[in-house]
Amino acid sequence: MAADLIDAYLQAEPIHPDQSHRLRHVRFPAALEWLHTEDVIRLAPSWAGEAASRRAFFSRWPTRADFLPDAVVYTLLREQDDDPHGPAVLGPSVPVSRLVIGVADELLADLVRHPRSYLVLHLGPLLPRHPQLSGVLLPGSRAATSVWLGIYRRLAHGLDLVMRPEWTFKRMSTVLQAMLDGFVLRHRVQPDDQAAARWKGASLLADAIIAFLLGAVDWDLTGQPGRTALDLLTRPQPRLR
């Protein structure tokens, strides 16, 4: 019964009448339901050092549903300043693998250091039932993605790389974001495994990105998609008589 209730809480579809009848008095909490507007107004002076007018608050956000998306966006975007050390530079004596390892390790370490990095993972399963939050999460995810877009462009232009036809920068950034989300989640689920998975100074994320680049770049300038290259590499070779 507990498993059925958990499944119903996380399902994408609305609770249908048959479920509602079986659930009876059970009511699932809304996303971030513990975040009460009255608490925000009451605690603002002691936390932010600035009083919050109740009238001004509700003049800007008439309901909690209006306030919550803005609160989520602000949480995701605050302190998302540019790297104080500046963008990674690809010098002639710096191996590409070393650049990828350094950037991957720094970015993952920065993400797991901030609790807000887990906000998207926390809200993600609930978004189908809370459409007002779906659109506001995109700007926050773009912040981390833009870092990788810059790195990819510098790699491609600095090394004169040609990508396979299916790999646009947009598709690459989508894959990278999904990888980052997964590694951030695994850092909480299996924290001890992250250090154990390092190999010769590189994290698992860094080696995964390197493997991805090996497949996404058209190193031989064949113009072939990756799937074609894979089929050719794995095609049985005729035996020589």
Side-chain angles (χ1 to χ4, degrees):
M1 188 64 249
D4 286 344
L5 289 173
I6 292 171
D7 283 346
Y9 171 56
L10 294 174
Q11 73 184 33
E13 302 78 16
I15 300 297
H16 52 75
D18 180 58
Q19 277 183 307
S20 215
H21 175 72
R22 294 193 320 172
L23 290 171
R24 299 179 184 176
H25 66 281
V26 175
R27 174 181 166 273
F28 295 123
L32 298 176
E33 189 171 27
W34 58 267
L35 184 64
H36 301 295
T37 55
E38 294 295 340
D39 290 336
V40 173
I41 297 170
R42 178 173 54 85
L43 294 172
S46 60
W47 281 50
E50 189 174 336
S53 163
R54 194 172 185 280
R55 177 178 295 180
F57 183 96
F58 286 107
S59 174
R60 179 169 180 178
W61 298 290
T63 67
R64 179 185 180 278
D66 296 316
F67 172 70
L68 186 59
D70 282 356
V72 168
V73 169
Y74 181 80
T75 304
L76 289 172
L77 296 184
R78 71 170 180 169
E79 299 176 13
Q80 292 281 11
D81 299 326
D82 292 334
D83 183 359
H85 303 293
V89 178
L90 182 61
S93 61
V94 180
V96 177
S97 62
R98 180 52 51 191
L99 173 68
V100 172
I101 290 170
V103 173
D105 286 354
E106 289 179 14
L107 182 56
L108 184 59
D110 183 63
L111 287 173
V112 300
R113 186 163 51 242
H114 296 290
R116 66 173 176 269
S117 300
Y118 297 90
L119 181 57
V120 175
L121 301 175
H122 173 68
L123 293 177
L126 305 176
L127 291 182
R129 304 260 282 275
H130 298 278
Q132 77 277 16
L133 292 176
S134 299
V136 305
L137 291 179
L138 185 59
S141 63
R142 282 176 176 160
T145 303
S146 64
V147 176
W148 286 105
L149 279 174
I151 295 169
Y152 281 137
R153 288 194 176 99
R154 287 196 296 277
L155 283 172
H157 297 156
L159 298 175
D160 197 23
L161 299 180
V162 177
M163 310 309 297
R164 294 195 184 276
E166 72 270 30
W167 286 115
T168 63
F169 286 123
K170 181 175 177 57
R171 292 191 87 209
M172 292 171 69
S173 69
T174 300
V175 170
L176 237 298
Q177 188 65 58
M179 290 172 66
L180 279 172
D181 289 343
F183 275 95
V184 168
L185 175 61
R186 300 318 299 180
H187 194 275
R188 282 279 177 97
V189 176
Q190 296 174 317
D192 296 336
D193 288 358
Q194 304 305 310
R198 296 186 71 87
W199 187 75
K200 292 189 176 182
S203 66
L204 191 58
L205 172 62
D207 278 334
I209 293 168
I210 291 172
F212 171 67
L213 288 175
L214 285 172
V217 175
D218 187 1
W219 300 101
D220 299 324
L221 301 179
T222 62
Q224 296 172 339
R227 63 199 73 165
T228 301
L230 177 64
D231 291 342
L232 290 174
L233 287 171
T234 55
R235 179 182 298 169
Q237 300 297 318
R239 293 181 179 180
L240 297 177
R241 294 184 180 179

